[in-house]
């Protein structure tokens, strides 16, 4: 948070000087979840200059009379200090949970740290469908990722995930019915989070389980070509090996743990291939 002081000097006999102190946020984490959702609504429904002006007015929270007395250059400085506010993809969720119809729903952790293998491709399907013009997929994406809390504390400690487990796509569909009518700004925030997660996963595992990035290629398009037969085929292969247990156990495994395993196997295969090339090169004809 930035601590600022606004001083209005005396101008005229009846215009008394005044001074106020305000805290200006420097990141989304400086704001309450309620403020984040409200400001995001402005950013996605209003032109950016109008949205930032409205947000700056709320942050300053000046009486109407004093706001009219505020020098324009001081107000512009405040707007400049919140220019970091954007409605862009981020792997850090703008809020960890929200309440709707008396139920609190929780998002996955930052960078999908507690995400499961099952929910990632399902969420990816809905994310892709939404970006291709299917507006109904936005609520389905939200219903896939945002779930109510588990009843047992031991289960939360065991899995590191406060959310109830999702065992099938049909559970997400049922959850979407419960979330019908959810404010659009909450759904957009979830979409921006998952968009950031996709980019983070691509950047983290590119060259291992995804093809190495082409400077002229769109990363979002490149990701889809990286995993042979898609994630469902990968899960079946891993289930056949038994490393992560049955297919259902693979589905409930941590997504990053599985990606690290795939990275390890890719590195081992690459190392073996290099050793074979060296051996072949050193063998006389």
């Amino acid at each position: 948070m930035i601590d600022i002081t606004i001083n209005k000097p005396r101008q005229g006999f009846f215009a008394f000087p005044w001074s106020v102190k305000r805290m200006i946020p420097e990141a989304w984490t400086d704001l309450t979840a309620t403020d984040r959702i409200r400001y995001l609504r402005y950013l996605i429904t209003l032109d950016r200059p109008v949205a930032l002006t409205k947000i700056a007015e709320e942050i300053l929270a000046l009486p109407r009379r004093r706001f009219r007395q505020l020098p324009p250059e001081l107000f512009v400085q405040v707007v400049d200090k919140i220019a970091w506010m954007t409605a862009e993809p981020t792997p850090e969720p703008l809020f960890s949970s929200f309440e709707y119809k008396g139920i609190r729903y929780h998002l996955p952790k930052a960078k999908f740290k507690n995400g499961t293998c099952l929910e990632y491709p399902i969420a990816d399907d809905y994310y892709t469908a939404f970006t291709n013009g299917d507006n109904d997929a936005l609520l389905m994406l939200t219903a896939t990722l945002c779930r109510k809390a588990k009843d047992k504390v031991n289960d939360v400690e065991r899995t590191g995930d406060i959310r109830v487990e999702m065992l099938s796509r049909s559970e997400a569909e049922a959850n979407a019915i419960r979330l019908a009518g959810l404010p659009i700004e909450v759904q957009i925030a979830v979409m921006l989070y998952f968009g950031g997660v996709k980019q983070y996963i691509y950047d983290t595992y590119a060259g291992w389980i995804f093809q190495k990035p082409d400077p002229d290629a769109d990363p979002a398009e490149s990701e889809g070509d990286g995993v042979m037969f898609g994630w469902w085929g990968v899960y079946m292969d891993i289930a056949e090996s038994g490393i992560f247990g049955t297919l259902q156990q693979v589905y409930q495994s941590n997504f990053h743990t599985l990606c690290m395993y795939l990275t390890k196997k890719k590195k081992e295969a690459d190392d073996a291939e290099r050793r074979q090339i060296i051996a072949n090169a050193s063998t006389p004809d």
Side-chain angles (χ1 to χ4, degrees):
M1 300 283 276
I2 303 173
D3 189 356
I4 68 168
T5 300
I6 299 176
N7 296 305
K8 177 63 173 66
R10 184 184 186 115
Q11 291 181 337
F13 183 78
F14 294 103
F16 294 99
W18 51 267
S19 176
V20 296
K21 288 187 176 182
R22 291 291 185 267
M23 300 296 290
I24 308 299
E26 296 181 275
W28 288 112
T29 51
D30 289 338
L31 297 164
T32 65
T34 301
D35 287 341
R36 294 176 200 174
I37 293 174
R38 187 173 67 259
Y39 295 164
L40 180 63
R41 182 193 310 134
Y42 299 156
L43 290 168
I44 64 178
T45 59
L46 303 172
D47 290 338
R48 181 169 174 78
V50 176
L52 290 180
T53 297
K54 190 173 182 63
I55 294 169
E57 290 175 354
E58 293 192 7
I59 290 174
L60 291 176
L62 293 173
R64 185 182 300 273
R65 176 175 57 84
R66 287 195 171 181
F67 187 79
R68 287 198 299 265
Q69 298 173 352
L70 187 67
E73 62 271 15
L74 290 180
F75 184 72
V76 170
Q77 290 177 20
V78 174
V79 172
D80 288 343
K81 292 183 184 300
I82 60 171
W84 56 265
M85 290 189 185
T86 59
E88 296 181 353
T90 169
E92 305 283 338
L94 297 182
F95 43 85
S96 60
S97 65
F98 61 87
E99 187 171 323
Y100 186 62
K101 294 181 179 179
I103 299 176
R104 180 154 293 278
Y105 294 86
H106 299 265
L107 281 72
K109 293 180 181 178
K111 301 175 182 177
F112 208 58
K113 290 180 181 177
N114 59 341
T116 65
C117 292
L118 176 65
E119 66 184 318
Y120 183 84
I122 293 177
D124 195 23
D125 285 347
Y126 292 130
Y127 178 88
T128 302
F130 174 72
T131 56
N132 288 336
D134 181 358
N135 291 334
D136 293 338
L138 182 59
L139 181 62
M140 290 303 307
L141 170 63
T142 304
T144 300
L145 297 175
C146 304
R147 305 193 291 275
K148 64 181 182 179
K150 294 173 180 171
D151 295 328
K152 297 181 180 180
V153 175
N154 289 344
D155 287 345
V156 176
E157 295 175 346
R158 175 178 56 83
T159 63
D161 192 351
I162 193 173
R163 303 170 302 155
V164 294
E165 294 177 343
M166 185 179 72
L167 302 179
S168 66
R169 188 185 293 262
S170 61
E171 291 182 357
E173 295 170 351
N175 201 29
I177 295 175
R178 292 188 288 269
L179 288 171
L182 182 69
I184 188 64
E185 59 268 19
V186 176
Q187 299 182 52
I188 291 292
V190 175
M191 184 272 293
L192 294 174
Y193 161 71
F194 190 72
V197 164
K198 278 173 62 68
Q199 187 62 56
Y200 171 79
I201 288 172
Y202 177 80
D203 292 342
T204 301
Y205 302 109
W208 295 108
I209 60 177
F210 301 119
Q211 295 175 354
K212 291 185 178 180
D214 181 342
D216 299 323
D218 181 354
E221 295 179 0
S222 299
E223 179 185 342
D225 299 330
V227 182
M228 186 68 70
F229 304 124
W231 287 109
W232 303 114
V234 171
Y235 298 161
M236 290 178 186
D237 290 342
I238 292 178
E240 288 177 358
S241 72
I243 298 295
F244 285 74
T246 66
L247 184 58
Q248 289 300 322
Q249 289 173 320
V250 172
Y251 287 163
Q252 296 306 315
S253 296
N254 181 276
F255 181 75
H256 284 291
T257 300
L258 183 136
C259 287
M260 287 187 286
Y261 170 76
L262 293 175
T263 298
K264 172 179 176 292
K265 300 304 289 184
K266 177 65 165 58
K267 184 177 184 304
E268 290 175 352
D270 288 351
D271 290 344
E273 182 179 359
R274 280 193 294 269
R275 288 194 297 269
Q276 186 61 51
I277 293 173
I278 294 173
N280 292 342
S282 60
T283 301
D285 294 335

